[in-house]
């Protein structure tokens, strides 16, 4: 056994193999604070709503947080911001621990291999991802896993480009960041992130329309389509505008980083886009149109959208963990054979 873990700003997901199937466990990475009462806590426990009590407050965590926020007209709070642990949220670490424990469960055996996603340092912000990475690694090791970080963009390559010898450009449009990785035969040639993603879209659309951010998020997740037929002035129109702006921004930075890295011009690679922010219908076509107009100095053999964009990063971590576990097993077998000779 082995596991992959996508530590996302909006959702945390684990992946593990069960026979020929891949099983995913998911929780929304958010919480909301409500007033404590004995009756409220009893109802939450009876309904199996994930929550913790602290003093005279109860914190509803995970998937139920957004529902409670909408009912009580409150904003959810997020343990992560811009793809890493939020320095502005004092409850970030205990909430993250609770959600991660719920998603990964106990290891099947001591030191079970687990690869968790971590973003690259953003090129458009002075944020460092090191503290976030080491903290998540510590959580997982304390549970009993042998945890290893994997770059989020590289995880997309592992998940979606096995049929192309793990060669291509993988782009993960997450909530807090967008991660980009160009790999050649599973070796990263270029990897970076930008500090814009689905949250940035939601915040800009909320500001433009005077709508609460959680309401904008709910609209975006409820069958929103990038068809540009909605009336300008509404939330869906604003979402379309800022989606297009995000794609242009990401592509501009890909061109800049390719130039800076002196990537070989003779490359001919596929591009795969994934991540929860890429979920709306029309995203792939819009991205392809914008990419065609970009001056990228290598050939693109095609653009595809992951079949299950929300699960790609966790699945890529699982692929890496299983591969690492196989290598460890082969080394142990080789050592045992050598010792017996």
């Amino acid at each position: 056994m082995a596991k992959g873990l996508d530590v996302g700003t909006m959702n945390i997901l684990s992946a593990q193999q069960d026979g020929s199937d891949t099983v995913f466990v998911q929780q929304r990475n958010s919480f909301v604070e409500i007033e404590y009462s004995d009756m409220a806590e009893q109802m939450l426990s009876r309904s199996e709503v994930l929550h913790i009590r602290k003093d005279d407050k109860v914190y509803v965590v995970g998937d139920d947080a957004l529902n409670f926020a909408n009912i009580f007209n409150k904003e959810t709070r997020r343990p992560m911001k811009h793809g890493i642990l939020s320095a502005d949220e004092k409850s970030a670490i205990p909430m993250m621990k609770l959600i991660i424990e719920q998603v990964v469960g106990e290891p099947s055996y001591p030191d079970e291999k687990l690869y968790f996603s971590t973003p690259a340092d953003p090129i458009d912000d002075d944020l460092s991802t090191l503290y976030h990475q080491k903290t998540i690694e510590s959580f997982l090791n304390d549970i009993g896993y042998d945890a290893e970080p994997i770059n989020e963009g590289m995880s997309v390559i592992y998940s979606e480009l096995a049929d192309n010898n793990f060669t291509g450009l993988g782009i993960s449009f997450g909530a807090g960041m967008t991660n980009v990785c160009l790999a050649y035969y599973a070796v990263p040639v270029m990897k970076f992130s930008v500090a814009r993603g689905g949250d940035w879209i939601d915040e800009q659309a909320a500001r433009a329309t005077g709508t609460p951010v959680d309401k904008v998020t709910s609209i975006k997740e409820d069958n929103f389509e990038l068809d540009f037929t909605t009336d300008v002035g509404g939330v869906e129109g604003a979402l379309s505008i800022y989606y297009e702006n995000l794609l242009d921004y990401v592509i501009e930075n890909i061109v800049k980083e390719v130039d800076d890295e002196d990537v070989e011009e003779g490359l001919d690679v596929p591009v795969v886009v994934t991540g929860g922010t890429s979920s709306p219908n029309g995203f792939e076509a819009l991205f392809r149109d914008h990419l065609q107009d970009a001056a990228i100095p290598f050939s693109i053999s095609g653009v595809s959208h992951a079949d299950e964009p929300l699960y790609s990063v966790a699945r890529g971590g699982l692929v890496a963990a299983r591969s690492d576990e196989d290598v460890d097993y082969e080394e142990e077998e080789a050592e045992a054979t050598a010792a017996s000779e």
Side-chain angles (χ1 to χ4, degrees), residues 247-263:
L247 295 188
D248 283 336
Y249 184 74
V250 170
I251 291 169
E252 286 170 8
N253 279 285
I254 290 173
V255 173
K256 177 180 178 297
E257 288 301 300
V258 167
D259 288 342
D260 289 349
E261 295 289 340
D262 294 324
V263 174

Side-chain angles (χ1 to χ4, degrees), residues 46-163:
R46 188 175 300 172
S47 301
E48 298 184 345
V49 172
L50 186 61
H51 68 283
I52 56 175
R53 176 189 172 187
K54 185 177 180 182
D55 300 325
D56 60 344
K57 302 291 183 183
V58 173
Y59 298 93
V60 177
V61 183
D63 291 342
D64 293 303
L66 187 60
N67 294 332
F68 274 78
N70 288 331
I71 291 169
F72 290 100
N73 198 28
K74 292 188 173 186
E75 293 284 338
T76 56
R77 290 159 61 182
R78 306 275 286 279
M80 287 173 57
K81 184 178 182 181
H82 298 311
I84 59 175
L85 283 164
S86 174
D88 300 326
E89 179 51 70
K90 290 185 287 187
S91 300
I93 287 180
M95 297 302 167
M96 282 288 289
K97 287 181 71 173
L98 179 62
I99 296 171
I100 286 175
E101 287 169 357
Q102 288 291 318
V103 169
V104 300
E106 295 290 330
S108 301
Y109 49 86
D111 294 327
E112 179 181 0
K113 191 71 70 176
L114 184 152
Y115 271 63
F116 67 95
S117 67
T118 185
D121 286 338
I123 58 173
D124 56 348
D125 200 295
D126 60 0
L127 291 171
S128 169
T129 63
L130 181 62
Y131 175 76
H132 168 83
Q133 176 186 313
K134 292 298 184 183
T135 302
I136 302 302
E137 187 174 355
S138 177
F139 289 170
L140 293 164
N141 287 337
D142 286 347
I143 296 172
Y145 289 97
D146 178 8
E148 293 283 349
I150 180 171
N151 172 263
E152 184 171 326
M154 193 66 215
S155 194
V156 173
I157 302 290
Y158 277 124
S159 174
E160 305 298 331
L161 293 175
D163 292 340

